[in-house]
Amino acid sequence: MTTAILSPRALNRATLARQLLLERSDLSAVSAIERLAGLQAQAPDASYVGLWSRLRDFQTDGLAKPLAAREVVRSTLMRGTVHLVTAEDGLALWPTIKPVVERGFRGHYSREIAGLDLGEVADAGRALLAEGPRTRVELRAALAARWPGIDPATLGYALGGLLPLAHVTPRGLWGQTGPAAYSLLEDWVGARITDGIPLDDLVVRYLAAFGPATVRDAQVWSGLTRLKEVFERLRPRLRTFTDGVGKELFDLPDAPRPDAETPAPPRFLPEYDNVLLSHADRVRVIPDGRRVPLPPGNGGRRGTLLVDGEFLAVWAIKGATLTIESREPLRDQDSIAEEGGTVAGIRGAGAEPRRTFRYRRITVRPFAVTKGGVRAKQGREEPEGSGP
């Protein structure tokens, strides 16, 4: 039996459809976050732009209210990075993803923690947080007093690598600010952590949001290893394809796979959008292999631009000006300008941001390209860190 081949463009359209980027959805913010298996959320405001580009008539309260009500939470999960997930998913994902988070911390701070009893650090942090949310500064100071010979920042990051934490509000609420502060996840959402999501279910969730995909793609998205046996166990329930170079792709039988020539409208993505970071082979959205910019900051003012489904430019809002930087002239600039006006509207105030923001101009200019690539200030994938 011949196995169907899916071109990068076909993979692009399938992924965009799953990510609600081909056509805006009528889902609520909470339902969309669940459907997408979480949103990257290192930069607190980035998720608002991500939802704005995916949901029809999205208003900032659509996310701010469930965040304040603790229906959704920011927590360190897939790849050891901060994600916005439903409270239910956060509780279920932590036991399954914990090895990824802990491995990342231990690997990054192996020298600093040599000889340190991490169990004692975790117990001390749990006792501190049982009294209520604590800021990053408060946690580091308290831990440093007990372990004066250890870098306070290392001790703080240990808590994020060992304990299930929630990033608490008001940080993350649109139009509000506050210091980075943390709570035990269970205390914040008022429910107990479950036994963990089974790996079979996790892979199915991934394929529904990002497929068709290879085993390695799923491992890159989650940070987990040795998922091949999970895919083999699921094989009778899945469809298989190959890409242009012969790699085996898995997918859910009834998942959307639009025609490769389906039009893809321009979409303004925020910093750290998962559609750019959740595959080992990113050619489906980044055909030229360019680096995904990861700027520091609170988010919502800079990001990447998809044109015909591909990452071809970056954008930034400063004052009343939306600037787009591209290596080459962009196709369909009228549609880009129209879409840019709507995404820029989220920076406005009031209940109807589409109507309250008026940009003066859109400037399209070349990237500053050096021998090593695009010249731009780069942040880490997780500017807020995996913990306090």
Side-chain angles (χ1 to χ4, degrees):
M1 184 173 62
T2 302
T3 302
I5 297 175
L6 294 178
S7 67
R9 189 176 178 88
L11 289 173
N12 173 275
R13 294 311 194 253
T15 304
L16 293 182
R18 321 264 174 111
Q19 284 287 302
L20 312 180
L21 291 168
L22 271 187
E23 182 178 356
R24 282 185 166 92
S25 170
D26 290 320
L27 289 172
S28 69
V30 176
S31 296
I33 291 165
E34 180 181 23
R35 172 82 64 86
L36 297 169
L39 290 173
Q40 286 274 60
Q42 292 91 332
D45 286 351
S47 298
Y48 292 86
V49 176
L51 290 172
W52 179 273
S53 290
R54 289 172 164 91
L55 302 182
R56 192 173 289 111
D57 299 321
F58 173 75
Q59 304 294 330
T60 54
D61 278 354
L63 176 55
K65 287 183 176 179
L67 259 175
R70 308 182 189 184
E71 297 174 40
V72 295
V73 294
R74 292 173 63 226
S75 186
T76 299
L77 291 165
M78 283 71 75
R79 298 188 298 284
T81 62
V82 180
H83 274 67
L84 180 71
V85 294
T86 65
E88 182 179 359
D89 275 351
L91 296 168
L93 284 166
W94 171 254
T96 304
I97 300 296
K98 178 184 177 182
V100 175
V101 180
E102 185 170 343
R103 183 180 70 237
F105 165 73
R106 288 178 179 272
H108 190 77
Y109 292 95
S110 58
R111 290 186 178 182
E112 292 86 344
I113 63 176
L116 183 64
D117 188 329
L118 292 179
E120 288 187 8
V121 175
D123 288 343
R126 190 178 290 107
L128 288 168
L129 291 165
E131 300 172 359
R134 297 291 188 102
T135 67
R136 178 181 296 169
V137 172
E138 290 170 339
L139 287 169
R140 290 179 177 180
L143 295 172
R146 181 164 175 180
W147 286 277
I150 305 296
D151 174 47
T154 299
L155 293 168
Y157 282 116
L159 298 188
L162 302 170
L163 299 176
L165 302 181
H167 295 230
V168 306
T169 55
R171 189 172 180 82
L173 299 181
W174 189 259
Q176 299 189 45
T177 187
Y182 306 86
S183 171
L184 292 169
L185 179 61
E186 292 179 316
D187 293 345
W188 186 248
V189 302
R192 311 310 299 174
I193 286 176
T194 69
D195 293 334
I197 182 172
L199 289 178
D200 291 30
D201 293 347
L202 185 69
V203 166
V204 168
R205 290 280 300 274
Y206 170 72
L207 291 176
F210 296 97
T214 65
V215 174
R216 188 160 176 255
D217 287 333
Q219 292 180 164
V220 165
W221 167 75
S222 64
L224 294 165
T225 58
R226 301 179 182 178
L227 291 183
K228 184 176 181 179
E229 63 184 49
V230 180
F231 277 84
E232 290 301 327
R233 189 163 57 241
L234 290 171
R235 185 181 286 274
R237 297 167 48 189
L238 303 176
R239 282 197 63 181
T240 57
F241 304 88
T242 59
D243 66 6
V245 294
K247 295 177 184 175
E248 186 174 37
L249 299 159
F250 296 85
D251 202 11
L252 305 179
D254 299 326
R257 286 179 291 274
D259 185 273
E261 299 308 313
T262 301
R267 288 291 185 257
F268 286 72
L269 302 179
E271 303 92 330
Y272 318 105
D273 197 280
N274 263 341
V275 76
L276 299 175
L277 301 171
S278 298
H279 299 89
D281 184 355
R282 300 175 179 178
V283 69
R284 69 180 70 190
V285 285
I286 315 177
D288 61 2
R290 70 178 65 191
R291 181 180 181 183
V292 178
L294 303 176
N298 287 339
R301 293 186 179 275
R302 289 183 285 181
T304 53
L305 172 62
L306 299 184
V307 179
D308 194 27
E310 299 175 354
F311 165 33
L312 293 181
V314 297
W315 61 269
I317 296 172
K318 185 176 182 180
T321 299
L322 171 62
T323 299
I324 299 169
E325 293 186 347
S326 175
R327 290 177 178 170
E328 57 190 37
L330 297 174
R331 305 181 294 275
D332 198 10
Q333 290 197 21
D334 288 342
S335 294
I336 292 171
E338 181 179 358
E339 180 73 8
T342 64
V343 78
I346 200 172
R347 298 307 321 181
E352 299 183 5
R354 288 179 190 264
R355 301 179 184 177
T356 58
F357 186 90
R358 294 293 183 269
Y359 59 88
R360 290 193 298 268
R361 59 190 172 88
I362 292 181
T363 301
V364 180
R365 67 188 186 193
F367 274 112
V369 181
T370 66
K371 184 177 181 180
V374 176
R375 187 193 314 133
K377 185 177 181 181
Q378 297 287 331
R380 299 190 307 161
E381 184 176 348
E382 187 174 3
E384 292 209 338
S386 58

